[in-house]
Amino acid sequence: MKILEVCVETIESVKAARCGGAQRIELCAALSEGGVTPSAGLIEAARRLGPEKMHVLVRARDGNFVYTADEVDCMVRDINMCRTLGVDGVVVGALTPQGDIDLDACRRMVQAAHGMQVTFHRAFDRCNRPLEALEQIIALGCTRLLTSGQQDSAGQGIDLIRQLVEQASGRIIIMPGAGVNENNAAHILDATGATEIHGSVRTGLTTDPTKVKSLISSINEK
């Protein structure tokens, strides 16, 4: 059974994703800007809509992934808020100015997320030395890595995603994302060996439950 995670940013898109059968949602705000942490009110409302797994993006602002100490403090507080509101997991990531994983910032966020799953987001796709970065992300204790294989779309990044899946060897879930739709999702999963995949509101999935159902059907038909 392959798992579909759908990225959503409104109550209506949460309803549509769940009606369509998405096994997990990633709740964000301001997707047009790359996504930031949603409000407590939106998180609580989405949590009340159903029992499906819900992860929340924790990102202090749009732009790059190099954060100040004050911004990291803010994200740690947001992670604590997510736990209080019954969130299943958080989606985090941070880089140094040199393009490496910011181990200190990420360690603080992972520690704050104790008891919740942790996805390292597509900050990974802008980092140097991706295979070394994968080992660091695993060592931090992250549950999964969302990546397009350092390309504009997961379809273009298949080669690196496959390499990451092989290197991870079950130690962390590698989840392809970016440009995923019902026409390419099964191919991406088959070509990479991944078992989870991430679809975004940018694909139109969350505005129409039937599209979510179609995508789930396409990735589980084999």
Side-chain angles (χ1 to χ4, degrees):
M1 181 76 175
K2 303 298 193 300
I3 293 176
L4 169 66
E5 174 182 277
V6 177
C7 189
V8 296
E9 65 175 345
T10 66
I11 291 299
E12 288 307 310
S13 61
V14 170
K15 291 178 180 178
R18 285 179 165 157
C19 181
Q23 293 97 327
R24 186 172 63 240
I25 62 170
E26 180 195 347
L27 186 65
C28 310
L31 274 174
S32 62
E33 303 299 325
V36 297
T37 307
S39 70
L42 180 58
I43 295 171
E44 185 173 7
R47 178 72 287 175
R48 289 179 175 178
L49 283 174
E52 292 84 353
K53 297 294 184 182
M54 184 176 81
H55 292 180
V56 170
L57 176 65
V58 176
R59 188 179 177 205
R61 53 163 172 76
D62 62 358
N64 63 36
F65 300 103
V66 180
Y67 298 110
T68 66
D70 287 339
E71 288 172 331
V72 175
D73 287 344
C74 178
M75 291 188 286
V76 167
R77 288 193 293 271
D78 282 340
I79 291 168
N80 291 330
M81 172 191 68
C82 287
R83 181 189 295 103
T84 300
L85 294 174
V87 169
D88 301 291
V90 291
V91 183
V92 304
L95 302 179
T96 68
Q98 294 74 35
D100 298 311
I101 304 297
D102 187 335
L103 295 175
D104 291 339
C106 291
R107 190 174 292 113
R108 285 194 62 199
M109 290 188 281
V110 171
Q111 289 173 347
H114 180 70
M116 293 185 286
Q117 294 197 359
V118 179
T119 299
F120 195 100
H121 58 50
R122 289 186 61 207
F124 174 84
D125 291 324
R126 298 188 186 179
C127 76
N128 299 319
R129 298 181 293 277
L131 301 184
E132 177 182 330
L134 173 62
E135 293 301 323
Q136 293 174 327
I137 291 168
I138 292 171
L140 284 166
C142 294
T143 312
R144 64 179 49 75
L145 169 63
L146 171 62
T147 179
S148 62
Q150 299 202 324
Q151 301 295 322
D152 290 338
S153 70
Q156 294 172 309
I158 281 175
D159 289 344
L160 177 57
I161 297 171
R162 183 192 310 114
Q163 192 172 1
L164 294 169
V165 170
E166 292 172 353
Q167 180 174 320
S169 189
R171 294 176 295 160
I172 189 173
I173 297 165
I174 306 299
M175 182 171 61
V180 170
N181 57 54
E182 61 267 33
N183 297 317
N184 63 18
H187 171 66
I188 292 169
L189 288 167
D190 289 344
T192 62
T195 58
E196 299 190 5
I197 198 160
H198 175 95
S200 169
V201 70
R202 293 188 182 91
T203 66
L205 289 175
T206 58
T207 60
D208 185 351
T210 62
K211 292 186 177 181
V212 180
K213 292 176 182 177
S214 177
L215 180 52
I216 292 173
S217 176
S218 74
I219 65 178
N220 288 301
E221 63 186 6
K222 294 186 178 181

